[in-house]
Amino acid sequence: MGTSTVDETGADTERDETAVDATESDVDVDVDVTETEPEAAQDAPETEDRAPSGVGQGAAAVVSAALGLVSLTGGWLGTVAAARETLMGQLETAADASVATQVKEVYGDAWHTSALWAGLFALTALIVGVVVLARPAFGAPGRTVQAPWTKSVAWAGVSLGVIGLLLAVLKYTDVLLGLPATG
């Protein structure tokens, strides 16, 4: 039983399918399907120095920016500390104390406590941001590359920290929104 095929020259040739089938089925192919690693990877030591991914620096930059934002908006911790200071002022102030003393003890100390916590958040944001920006200078030589977004977010944290620290100092010293005069 033969089939007719056309070869490259255009001539019609006939071939025997049974011969082709027999040779194709009798071929025993032993193929090793396991993948081998390149020679360089096999010779490399297990403790190969890899480039740092920068995840830690990126996370620290985000933390810096978040702390800077908390220093500007006030955080839960500062609010609770101010409320506690208000309560302490109410408990320690005698009912027959002057209005100026009552305002200072009840509201002034709470205001200063709020400013103090905002300043601590701002200072922490500033320090973390500066450390993130300075970290490549203290790394391995030749590996000073830092992701651009990490630098940007770290600079945002430093900027928010500086602004928050300035506002906290102004608030603590009563230059910004000081207590009202009680006469």
Short mmCIF file of all heavy atoms in Angstrom, two decimals, residues 128-183:
data_model
loop_
_atom_site.label_atom_id
_atom_site.label_comp_id
_atom_site.label_asym_id
_atom_site.label_seq_id
_atom_site.Cartn_x
_atom_site.Cartn_y
_atom_site.Cartn_z
N VAL A 128 14.06 58.20 61.27
CA VAL A 128 13.90 57.04 60.39
C VAL A 128 14.13 57.45 58.93
O VAL A 128 14.80 56.75 58.18
CB VAL A 128 12.51 56.39 60.58
CG1 VAL A 128 12.25 55.34 59.52
CG2 VAL A 128 12.40 55.78 61.97
N GLY A 129 13.60 58.60 58.54
CA GLY A 129 13.80 59.07 57.17
C GLY A 129 15.25 59.34 56.84
O GLY A 129 15.73 58.98 55.76
N VAL A 130 15.97 59.95 57.77
CA VAL A 130 17.39 60.23 57.55
C VAL A 130 18.19 58.93 57.48
O VAL A 130 19.10 58.80 56.65
CB VAL A 130 17.92 61.17 58.66
CG1 VAL A 130 19.44 61.23 58.66
CG2 VAL A 130 17.35 62.57 58.48
N VAL A 131 17.85 57.96 58.32
CA VAL A 131 18.55 56.67 58.28
C VAL A 131 18.32 55.99 56.94
O VAL A 131 19.26 55.43 56.35
CB VAL A 131 18.10 55.78 59.46
CG1 VAL A 131 18.56 54.34 59.27
CG2 VAL A 131 18.62 56.33 60.77
N VAL A 132 17.11 56.03 56.43
CA VAL A 132 16.82 55.41 55.12
C VAL A 132 17.63 56.10 54.03
O VAL A 132 18.19 55.44 53.15
CB VAL A 132 15.32 55.45 54.80
CG1 VAL A 132 15.05 55.06 53.35
CG2 VAL A 132 14.55 54.54 55.73
N LEU A 133 17.69 57.42 54.07
CA LEU A 133 18.44 58.14 53.04
C LEU A 133 19.95 57.93 53.16
O LEU A 133 20.66 57.92 52.16
CB LEU A 133 18.10 59.63 53.10
CG LEU A 133 16.68 60.00 52.66
CD1 LEU A 133 16.40 61.46 52.97
CD2 LEU A 133 16.48 59.70 51.20
N ALA A 134 20.43 57.75 54.38
CA ALA A 134 21.87 57.60 54.60
C ALA A 134 22.33 56.15 54.47
O ALA A 134 23.52 55.90 54.34
CB ALA A 134 22.26 58.14 55.96
N ARG A 135 21.44 55.21 54.51
CA ARG A 135 21.80 53.78 54.50
C ARG A 135 22.67 53.37 53.32
O ARG A 135 23.64 52.63 53.52
CB ARG A 135 20.52 52.94 54.55
CG ARG A 135 20.71 51.46 54.37
CD ARG A 135 21.54 50.85 55.49
NE ARG A 135 21.70 49.42 55.33
CZ ARG A 135 22.81 48.85 54.88
NH1 ARG A 135 23.83 49.56 54.52
NH2 ARG A 135 22.89 47.54 54.78
N PRO A 136 22.41 53.78 52.10
CA PRO A 136 23.28 53.34 51.01
C PRO A 136 24.74 53.76 51.18
O PRO A 136 25.63 53.08 50.69
CB PRO A 136 22.67 53.99 49.76
CG PRO A 136 21.25 54.20 50.12
CD PRO A 136 21.25 54.50 51.59
N ALA A 137 25.00 54.83 51.88
CA ALA A 137 26.37 55.29 52.07
C ALA A 137 27.15 54.34 52.98
O ALA A 137 28.38 54.30 52.93
CB ALA A 137 26.38 56.69 52.67
N PHE A 138 26.46 53.57 53.80
CA PHE A 138 27.13 52.67 54.73
C PHE A 138 27.01 51.21 54.33
O PHE A 138 27.36 50.33 55.09
CB PHE A 138 26.56 52.87 56.15
CG PHE A 138 26.78 54.25 56.67
CD1 PHE A 138 25.73 55.15 56.72
CD2 PHE A 138 28.02 54.65 57.10
CE1 PHE A 138 25.93 56.43 57.18
CE2 PHE A 138 28.24 55.92 57.56
CZ PHE A 138 27.19 56.82 57.61
N GLY A 139 26.51 50.95 53.13
CA GLY A 139 26.36 49.58 52.65
C GLY A 139 27.64 49.10 52.00
O GLY A 139 28.71 49.71 52.10
N ALA A 140 27.54 47.99 51.32
CA ALA A 140 28.68 47.42 50.62
C ALA A 140 29.07 48.34 49.46
O ALA A 140 28.21 48.93 48.81
CB ALA A 140 28.32 46.04 50.09
N PRO A 141 30.36 48.46 49.19
CA PRO A 141 30.79 49.28 48.07
C PRO A 141 30.21 48.78 46.75
O PRO A 141 30.15 47.59 46.51
CB PRO A 141 32.31 49.12 48.07
CG PRO A 141 32.65 48.64 49.43
CD PRO A 141 31.47 47.87 49.92
N GLY A 142 29.75 49.71 45.94
CA GLY A 142 29.19 49.36 44.65
C GLY A 142 27.71 49.03 44.70
O GLY A 142 27.10 48.81 43.68
N ARG A 143 27.14 48.98 45.88
CA ARG A 143 25.71 48.67 46.02
C ARG A 143 24.98 49.83 46.66
O ARG A 143 24.29 49.69 47.64
CB ARG A 143 25.51 47.42 46.86
CG ARG A 143 26.04 46.19 46.20
CD ARG A 143 25.57 44.99 46.90
NE ARG A 143 26.13 43.81 46.26
CZ ARG A 143 25.99 42.61 46.73
NH1 ARG A 143 25.33 42.41 47.82
NH2 ARG A 143 26.53 41.60 46.10
N THR A 144 25.15 50.98 46.11
CA THR A 144 24.52 52.17 46.68
C THR A 144 23.24 52.55 45.96
O THR A 144 22.71 53.63 46.17
CB THR A 144 25.50 53.36 46.61
OG1 THR A 144 25.86 53.58 45.26
CG2 THR A 144 26.72 53.10 47.46
N VAL A 145 22.74 51.67 45.13
CA VAL A 145 21.53 51.96 44.37
C VAL A 145 20.33 51.77 45.28
O VAL A 145 20.21 50.78 45.99
CB VAL A 145 21.42 51.04 43.14
CG1 VAL A 145 20.15 51.29 42.39
CG2 VAL A 145 22.62 51.24 42.23
N GLN A 146 19.45 52.74 45.25
CA GLN A 146 18.24 52.71 46.06
C GLN A 146 17.07 53.04 45.13
O GLN A 146 17.20 53.88 44.25
CB GLN A 146 18.35 53.75 47.17
CG GLN A 146 17.34 53.63 48.27
CD GLN A 146 17.65 54.61 49.39
OE1 GLN A 146 18.03 55.73 49.14
NE2 GLN A 146 17.47 54.16 50.61
N ALA A 147 15.97 52.38 45.34
CA ALA A 147 14.81 52.61 44.47
C ALA A 147 14.38 54.06 44.56
O ALA A 147 14.37 54.65 45.64
CB ALA A 147 13.67 51.70 44.88
N PRO A 148 14.04 54.67 43.43
CA PRO A 148 13.64 56.08 43.44
C PRO A 148 12.44 56.35 44.33
O PRO A 148 12.38 57.36 45.01
CB PRO A 148 13.31 56.38 41.98
CG PRO A 148 14.04 55.35 41.19
CD PRO A 148 14.12 54.14 42.06
N TRP A 149 11.47 55.43 44.36
CA TRP A 149 10.30 55.66 45.20
C TRP A 149 10.67 55.63 46.68
O TRP A 149 10.07 56.34 47.48
CB TRP A 149 9.19 54.66 44.88
CG TRP A 149 9.46 53.26 45.36
CD1 TRP A 149 10.03 52.26 44.65
CD2 TRP A 149 9.16 52.73 46.64
NE1 TRP A 149 10.12 51.12 45.42
CE2 TRP A 149 9.58 51.38 46.65
CE3 TRP A 149 8.58 53.25 47.79
CZ2 TRP A 149 9.44 50.56 47.75
CZ3 TRP A 149 8.44 52.42 48.89
CH2 TRP A 149 8.87 51.09 48.86
N THR A 150 11.67 54.83 47.03
CA THR A 150 12.11 54.77 48.42
C THR A 150 12.70 56.11 48.84
O THR A 150 12.41 56.62 49.93
CB THR A 150 13.15 53.66 48.61
OG1 THR A 150 12.57 52.42 48.21
CG2 THR A 150 13.60 53.56 50.05
N LYS A 151 13.51 56.69 47.97
CA LYS A 151 14.08 58.01 48.27
C LYS A 151 12.99 59.06 48.39
O LYS A 151 13.02 59.89 49.30
CB LYS A 151 15.06 58.43 47.17
CG LYS A 151 16.35 57.67 47.18
CD LYS A 151 17.25 58.17 46.07
CE LYS A 151 18.53 57.39 46.01
NZ LYS A 151 19.41 57.85 44.95
N SER A 152 12.03 59.03 47.49
CA SER A 152 10.95 60.02 47.52
C SER A 152 10.13 59.92 48.79
O SER A 152 9.83 60.93 49.43
CB SER A 152 10.03 59.83 46.31
OG SER A 152 10.74 60.03 45.12
N VAL A 153 9.76 58.71 49.17
CA VAL A 153 8.95 58.53 50.37
C VAL A 153 9.77 58.88 51.62
O VAL A 153 9.24 59.46 52.57
CB VAL A 153 8.38 57.09 50.44
CG1 VAL A 153 7.65 56.84 51.74
CG2 VAL A 153 7.45 56.85 49.27
N ALA A 154 11.05 58.55 51.62
CA ALA A 154 11.90 58.91 52.76
C ALA A 154 12.03 60.42 52.88
O ALA A 154 11.99 60.97 53.99
CB ALA A 154 13.28 58.26 52.62
N TRP A 155 12.18 61.11 51.75
CA TRP A 155 12.23 62.58 51.79
C TRP A 155 10.91 63.15 52.28
O TRP A 155 10.88 64.16 52.99
CB TRP A 155 12.60 63.16 50.42
CG TRP A 155 14.08 63.21 50.20
CD1 TRP A 155 14.79 62.50 49.29
CD2 TRP A 155 15.02 64.01 50.92
NE1 TRP A 155 16.12 62.80 49.41
CE2 TRP A 155 16.29 63.74 50.39
CE3 TRP A 155 14.92 64.93 51.95
CZ2 TRP A 155 17.45 64.34 50.87
CZ3 TRP A 155 16.07 65.54 52.43
CH2 TRP A 155 17.32 65.24 51.89
N ALA A 156 9.81 62.53 51.90
CA ALA A 156 8.50 62.97 52.41
C ALA A 156 8.45 62.81 53.92
O ALA A 156 7.96 63.69 54.64
CB ALA A 156 7.38 62.19 51.74
N GLY A 157 8.95 61.68 54.43
CA GLY A 157 8.99 61.46 55.87
C GLY A 157 9.86 62.46 56.59
O GLY A 157 9.49 62.97 57.66
N VAL A 158 11.01 62.78 56.00
CA VAL A 158 11.89 63.79 56.60
C VAL A 158 11.21 65.15 56.60
O VAL A 158 11.23 65.87 57.61
CB VAL A 158 13.25 63.84 55.85
CG1 VAL A 158 14.06 65.05 56.26
CG2 VAL A 158 14.03 62.56 56.11
N SER A 159 10.60 65.51 55.49
CA SER A 159 9.92 66.81 55.41
C SER A 159 8.77 66.91 56.40
O SER A 159 8.64 67.92 57.11
CB SER A 159 9.38 67.03 53.99
OG SER A 159 10.42 66.99 53.05
N LEU A 160 7.95 65.88 56.45
CA LEU A 160 6.84 65.89 57.40
C LEU A 160 7.35 65.89 58.84
O LEU A 160 6.76 66.52 59.72
CB LEU A 160 5.93 64.68 57.17
CG LEU A 160 5.09 64.71 55.90
CD1 LEU A 160 4.41 63.37 55.68
CD2 LEU A 160 4.09 65.84 55.95
N GLY A 161 8.45 65.20 59.08
CA GLY A 161 9.05 65.20 60.42
C GLY A 161 9.55 66.58 60.82
O GLY A 161 9.35 67.02 61.96
N VAL A 162 10.19 67.28 59.91
CA VAL A 162 10.69 68.63 60.21
C VAL A 162 9.52 69.58 60.47
O VAL A 162 9.54 70.35 61.45
CB VAL A 162 11.58 69.15 59.05
CG1 VAL A 162 11.85 70.64 59.19
CG2 VAL A 162 12.89 68.39 59.01
N ILE A 163 8.52 69.52 59.63
CA ILE A 163 7.35 70.39 59.81
C ILE A 163 6.63 70.05 61.12
O ILE A 163 6.27 70.94 61.90
CB ILE A 163 6.38 70.28 58.60
CG1 ILE A 163 7.03 70.86 57.35
CG2 ILE A 163 5.07 70.98 58.89
CD1 ILE A 163 6.29 70.54 56.07
N GLY A 164 6.45 68.76 61.37
CA GLY A 164 5.80 68.34 62.61
C GLY A 164 6.58 68.73 63.85
O GLY A 164 6.01 69.15 64.86
N LEU A 165 7.89 68.62 63.78
CA LEU A 165 8.74 69.00 64.92
C LEU A 165 8.67 70.50 65.15
O LEU A 165 8.57 70.95 66.31
CB LEU A 165 10.18 68.55 64.66
CG LEU A 165 11.13 68.56 65.84
CD1 LEU A 165 10.59 67.70 66.98
CD2 LEU A 165 12.50 68.08 65.42
N LEU A 166 8.69 71.27 64.09
CA LEU A 166 8.59 72.73 64.22
C LEU A 166 7.24 73.12 64.83
O LEU A 166 7.18 73.93 65.76
CB LEU A 166 8.77 73.39 62.85
CG LEU A 166 8.62 74.91 62.81
CD1 LEU A 166 9.75 75.57 63.61
CD2 LEU A 166 8.61 75.41 61.39
N LEU A 167 6.16 72.53 64.35
CA LEU A 167 4.84 72.83 64.89
C LEU A 167 4.71 72.38 66.35
O LEU A 167 4.08 73.07 67.17
CB LEU A 167 3.75 72.19 64.04
CG LEU A 167 3.54 72.80 62.66
CD1 LEU A 167 2.52 71.99 61.87
CD2 LEU A 167 3.13 74.26 62.77
N ALA A 168 5.29 71.24 66.69
CA ALA A 168 5.22 70.76 68.07
C ALA A 168 5.96 71.70 69.01
O ALA A 168 5.47 71.99 70.11
CB ALA A 168 5.80 69.35 68.15
N VAL A 169 7.11 72.18 68.59
CA VAL A 169 7.86 73.12 69.44
C VAL A 169 7.08 74.43 69.59
O VAL A 169 6.98 74.98 70.70
CB VAL A 169 9.27 73.38 68.86
CG1 VAL A 169 9.95 74.56 69.51
CG2 VAL A 169 10.12 72.12 68.99
N LEU A 170 6.52 74.91 68.50
CA LEU A 170 5.72 76.15 68.58
C LEU A 170 4.48 75.95 69.45
O LEU A 170 4.08 76.85 70.19
CB LEU A 170 5.32 76.60 67.18
CG LEU A 170 6.45 77.11 66.28
CD1 LEU A 170 5.92 77.41 64.88
CD2 LEU A 170 7.12 78.32 66.88
N LYS A 171 3.88 74.80 69.39
CA LYS A 171 2.70 74.51 70.20
C LYS A 171 3.08 74.35 71.68
O LYS A 171 2.39 74.85 72.56
CB LYS A 171 2.05 73.22 69.67
CG LYS A 171 0.62 73.02 70.07
CD LYS A 171 -0.07 71.99 69.17
CE LYS A 171 0.14 70.59 69.63
NZ LYS A 171 -0.73 69.61 68.95
N TYR A 172 4.18 73.70 71.94
CA TYR A 172 4.62 73.46 73.33
C TYR A 172 5.03 74.75 74.02
O TYR A 172 4.80 74.93 75.21
CB TYR A 172 5.78 72.46 73.35
CG TYR A 172 6.10 71.96 74.73
CD1 TYR A 172 5.36 70.94 75.29
CD2 TYR A 172 7.15 72.51 75.47
CE1 TYR A 172 5.64 70.46 76.55
CE2 TYR A 172 7.43 72.05 76.75
CZ TYR A 172 6.67 71.02 77.29
OH TYR A 172 6.95 70.57 78.55
N THR A 173 5.63 75.65 73.26
CA THR A 173 6.07 76.93 73.84
C THR A 173 4.98 77.99 73.82
O THR A 173 5.24 79.14 74.18
CB THR A 173 7.31 77.46 73.09
OG1 THR A 173 6.98 77.62 71.71
CG2 THR A 173 8.49 76.51 73.24
N ASP A 174 3.78 77.63 73.41
CA ASP A 174 2.62 78.52 73.35
C ASP A 174 2.77 79.67 72.37
O ASP A 174 2.04 80.66 72.44
CB ASP A 174 2.26 79.05 74.75
CG ASP A 174 1.73 77.97 75.66
OD1 ASP A 174 1.13 77.01 75.14
OD2 ASP A 174 1.92 78.07 76.89
N VAL A 175 3.70 79.55 71.43
CA VAL A 175 3.81 80.55 70.38
C VAL A 175 2.66 80.35 69.39
O VAL A 175 2.07 81.31 68.89
CB VAL A 175 5.18 80.45 69.66
CG1 VAL A 175 5.24 81.34 68.45
CG2 VAL A 175 6.31 80.78 70.64
N LEU A 176 2.33 79.10 69.12
CA LEU A 176 1.25 78.75 68.21
C LEU A 176 0.05 78.33 69.05
O LEU A 176 0.12 77.35 69.79
CB LEU A 176 1.67 77.62 67.28
CG LEU A 176 0.65 77.13 66.28
CD1 LEU A 176 0.35 78.20 65.26
CD2 LEU A 176 1.14 75.88 65.61
N LEU A 177 -1.04 79.08 68.93
CA LEU A 177 -2.28 78.73 69.63
C LEU A 177 -2.07 78.55 71.13
O LEU A 177 -2.44 77.54 71.72
CB LEU A 177 -2.90 77.46 69.03
CG LEU A 177 -3.27 77.52 67.57
CD1 LEU A 177 -3.69 76.16 67.07
CD2 LEU A 177 -4.34 78.55 67.29
N GLY A 178 -1.49 79.56 71.75
CA GLY A 178 -1.28 79.52 73.20
C GLY A 178 -2.59 79.61 73.97
O GLY A 178 -3.66 79.84 73.38
N LEU A 179 -2.51 79.40 75.25
CA LEU A 179 -3.71 79.49 76.11
C LEU A 179 -4.24 80.91 76.13
O LEU A 179 -3.46 81.87 76.09
CB LEU A 179 -3.35 79.04 77.52
CG LEU A 179 -3.03 77.57 77.70
CD1 LEU A 179 -2.59 77.30 79.13
CD2 LEU A 179 -4.23 76.72 77.36
N PRO A 180 -5.55 81.05 76.21
CA PRO A 180 -6.11 82.41 76.24
C PRO A 180 -5.80 83.10 77.58
O PRO A 180 -5.64 82.46 78.62
CB PRO A 180 -7.62 82.17 76.11
CG PRO A 180 -7.84 80.76 76.54
CD PRO A 180 -6.57 80.03 76.23
N ALA A 181 -5.69 84.40 77.51
CA ALA A 181 -5.45 85.17 78.74
C ALA A 181 -6.74 85.15 79.58
O ALA A 181 -7.84 85.33 79.06
CB ALA A 181 -5.08 86.60 78.38
N THR A 182 -6.58 84.93 80.87
CA THR A 182 -7.75 84.83 81.75
C THR A 182 -7.94 86.06 82.59
O THR A 182 -8.78 86.10 83.47
CB THR A 182 -7.62 83.59 82.66
OG1 THR A 182 -6.39 83.65 83.36
CG2 THR A 182 -7.73 82.33 81.83
N GLY A 183 -7.19 87.07 82.36
CA GLY A 183 -7.41 88.38 82.97
C GLY A 183 -6.75 88.57 84.21
O GLY A 183 -6.59 88.83 85.20
#
